[in-house]
Amino acid sequence: VSLKKLDFAVSLHQNLNQDQMKVALAEFGKKVKAVGPSAITFVYYSGHAAQDTGQTNFLIPVNVDVPTPGELRKNGQTLFELF
């Protein structure tokens, strides 16, 4: 059974650069906030990611080289910024 058949809103994004990833994550955050605290969310991400020393996980867009720890917060995207 697909998520769509279970009435989940599904968005597919592939090979996003940094700007596109920011927009897609912002749109996702707006949709979740609009539903409210009862929202059930699911994010499947298949791509490069890294974790900084503070244990925060970052998604890395396709147009960003593997960042050094200092560049990770600047160039990576984290889901925690949405909520």
Side-chain angles (χ1 to χ4, degrees):
V1 175
S2 73
L3 291 173
K4 286 183 181 182
K5 288 182 181 178
L6 295 172
D7 291 328
F8 277 85
V10 176
S11 299
L12 173 65
H13 301 279
Q14 297 177 316
N15 301 317
L16 301 181
N17 66 33
Q18 190 173 23
D19 291 336
Q20 293 167 329
M21 187 177 282
K22 285 181 182 181
V23 170
L25 291 173
E27 289 173 357
F28 173 73
K30 287 178 189 176
K31 289 177 184 178
V32 173
K33 287 177 184 176
V35 173
S38 65
I40 298 172
T41 62
F42 176 81
V43 175
Y44 175 78
Y45 176 76
S46 177
H48 293 285
Q51 186 179 66
D52 71 1
T53 55
Q55 303 297 311
T56 301
N57 295 308
F58 292 88
L59 311 179
I60 301 174
V62 297
N63 67 327
V64 174
D65 290 330
V66 176
T68 63
E71 296 172 325
L72 188 55
R73 288 194 176 274
K74 177 182 173 189
N75 296 321
Q77 303 297 312
T78 178
L79 295 177
F80 295 109
E81 295 171 356
L82 302 175
F83 307 105

